[in-house]
Amino acid sequence: MMAASFTASGVAIAVDSGRMLDELCSHFVEHSTVKRDGDLVTLEMMIGKADIRHEGPKLAIELSCKSARALQNIRSVLAEHLFQFAGEDTLELTWSDTPKADRLPDLREIRVIGARNISPHMRRVTVACDDTEHFAHGGLHFRLLIPPKGRTPVWPKLRADGRIEWAKDEDALTVRIYTFRSIDLERGEIDIDFVLHEGENMPGAEWAVNAKPGDIAGALGPGGGGVPDATSMILAGDETALPAISRIAAEVPVGTQLRIFLEVDGPSEESPLPSAGTMDLTWMHRNGAPAGTVGLIESAIKGVLANADADTFVWAGCERSEAKRIRDFLKTERGHDRHKMSIGAYWER
Ligand SMILES: Cc1cc2nc3c(=O)[nH]c(=O)nc-3n(C[C@H](O)[C@H](O)[C@H](O)COP(=O)(O)OP(=O)(O)OC[C@H]3O[C@@H](n4cnc5c(N)ncnc54)[C@H](O)[C@@H]3O)c2cc1C
């Protein structure tokens, strides 16, 4: 693994720490490599690792990461899950270096400067940010924090136990995940492409529809996966993954082999995908069928994998149940190396 230079120790005292360790293992197996040796569990994630030892009523935690930002993220993720698994039981969680109660280091304010439809169902919102450089490395995605209409935003803060403290009631923020479609460091601007999908009560899509110059939101990130480190990739997804696939295509080095499958409603949703790589691009059309119901992404991946070698990186972003079927297929039927895949549930029907 990577050289880790940022570390922290924590102690969680719980009513049933053994059960909590079991729950951590079964939850994190989807998101990391979980190794268990009796009372010691190691969670290895892309951004760092956590050693958690069960000692009587407590869990002794050692975190090590390659950056201060990764350390803060892994600590928050672990803290949130520990409290979730504790449920109604009391849990005391302390850290060797108590996190400073302050605005989150990964949070930046963004201000809308323009919005336009780039296809019938895709709206591009351009935002300005004082620190675009912050979002340029370390993941393609971010959490969009939408403040309630007419209220001054109250941004989340870190708590001493490592969890994030969110504003409540009339100041509660709405959070949705999006992709930085492109980042212009010189102009200090970012494009975000929003799918104008079907449904009711959809704060993310509605924010994009109503976005007007001067609107303020928060961007918490970057996070999630980045551009896969592979010379041959299969990239597949629906409209929600189009921004990420476009960015991966735009950022891969010359010579990378890309086989791309994009499921959209019809030809009017297609868009150019410039790339230095060698690209074989297939657009697949739902022709009016609802998104997440046609299984075209799953079929395309299964079909193309029949002639792909074991080193091919498989990347997909789509509706949750289709993503699960693809992940299950890769893991069980194909036996694909789990380090050579990234299958994301981008939304849920
Ligand atoms: C890592 C990651 C990156 C993402 N990047 C982007 C991005 O760049 N652009 C983007 O538009 N989305 C992206 N998404 C997907 C986006 O987060 C979801 O579509 C989200 O649910 C939209 O929130 P909402 O408030 O509009 O709708 P919600 O309030 O979440 O849902 C309201 C209703 O709409 C339905 N719905 C939600 N999304 C869709 C959809 N795509 N198609 C059909 N029905 C839907 C739901 O089933 C629900 O019934 C990303 C998701 C992830 C995990």
Side-chain angles (χ1 to χ4, degrees):
M1 241 185 121
M2 82 272 143
S5 46
F6 293 83
T7 59
S9 312
V11 173
I13 300 178
V15 174
D16 190 350
S17 46
R19 175 187 59 78
M20 287 186 37
L21 193 61
D22 293 341
E23 291 214 39
L24 280 174
C25 288
S26 40
H27 176 82
F28 276 95
V29 80
E30 285 292 319
H31 310 279
S32 62
T33 303
V34 177
K35 293 182 183 155
R36 182 155 198 172
D37 180 6
D39 284 337
L40 175 67
V41 167
T42 301
L43 310 177
E44 284 179 3
M45 305 178 209
M46 268 171 48
I47 57 171
K49 76 169 179 123
D51 287 318
I52 309 169
R53 186 181 289 280
H54 179 205
E55 298 170 351
K58 69 178 190 186
L59 297 174
I61 305 164
E62 297 292 337
L63 305 179
S64 48
C65 298
K66 53 186 170 183
S67 69
R69 179 201 285 173
L71 185 66
Q72 128 76 35
N73 285 344
I74 218 168
R75 175 170 17 211
S76 289
V77 167
L78 205 56
E80 302 283 353
H81 283 90
L82 284 169
F83 278 93
Q84 185 190 327
F85 299 143
E88 300 288 299
D89 293 346
T90 36
L91 171 68
E92 201 183 298
L93 178 60
T94 50
W95 297 96
S96 49
D97 59 327
T98 308
K100 206 162 127 247
D102 206 349
R103 189 194 272 200
L104 302 180
D106 270 357
L107 177 67
R108 299 290 180 278
E109 253 183 25
I110 52 176
R111 182 172 40 82
V112 173
I113 51 179
R116 67 195 168 92
N117 280 26
I118 55 168
S119 76
H121 294 104
M122 187 74 94
R123 186 161 178 82
R124 176 161 297 167
V125 179
T126 303
V127 298
C129 173
D130 288 343
D131 185 13
T132 38
E133 177 71 39
H134 174 78
F135 295 125
H137 309 283
L140 302 175
H141 313 290
F142 70 102
R143 287 196 260 175
L144 174 69
L145 313 186
I146 307 174
K149 277 201 185 77
R151 295 195 68 84
T152 307
V154 178
W155 300 123
K157 292 190 168 140
L158 265 188
R159 294 165 62 139
D161 59 24
R163 281 182 294 172
I164 298 174
E165 184 173 316
W166 295 90
K168 292 199 175 75
D169 304 323
E170 68 268 29
D171 285 322
L173 303 165
T174 302
V175 183
R176 292 290 184 274
I177 300 177
Y178 287 93
T179 304
F180 295 117
R181 169 65 185 82
S182 63
I183 300 178
D184 186 330
L185 294 176
E186 265 175 35
R187 295 168 71 97
E189 292 178 9
I190 297 169
D191 281 341
I192 311 161
D193 288 354
F194 291 77
V195 179
L196 305 179
H197 56 84
E198 291 175 7
E200 287 169 22
N201 293 330
M202 31 191 196
E206 280 159 13
W207 187 80
V209 169
N210 299 318
K212 55 178 193 319
D215 285 357
I216 299 286
L220 186 57
V227 176
D229 183 12
T231 52
S232 169
M233 303 178 204
I234 294 166
L235 306 172
D238 60 20
E239 291 91 334
T240 59
L242 178 53
I245 291 177
S246 304
R247 227 182 121 189
I248 294 171
E251 292 186 13
V252 295
V254 178
T256 310
Q257 301 277 341
L258 301 174
R259 270 162 295 176
I260 303 182
F261 298 89
L262 277 158
E263 179 197 297
V264 294
D265 186 54
S268 60
E269 298 297 332
E270 296 177 8
S271 61
L273 269 77
S275 178
T278 310
M279 187 157 62
D280 180 354
L281 170 61
T282 306
W283 290 96
M284 308 180 293
H285 298 149
R286 288 192 301 272
N287 296 318
T293 62
V294 286
L296 292 173
I297 300 163
E298 182 188 357
S299 307
I301 288 180
K302 286 182 176 170
V304 72
L305 271 175
N307 297 314
D309 65 40
D311 277 337
T312 305
F313 195 99
V314 185
W315 188 107
C318 54
E319 199 278 329
R320 178 173 297 277
S321 54
E322 189 165 12
K324 183 175 183 314
R325 293 198 302 273
I326 295 169
R327 207 180 296 120
D328 289 347
F329 169 79
L330 285 167
K331 278 189 190 165
T332 47
E333 279 190 52
R334 162 120 179 145
H336 204 76
D337 181 346
R338 67 176 300 281
H339 297 108
K340 296 199 168 97
M341 62 165 107
S342 166
I343 311 299
Y346 269 38
W347 62 282
E348 187 164 4
R349 269 190 75 77

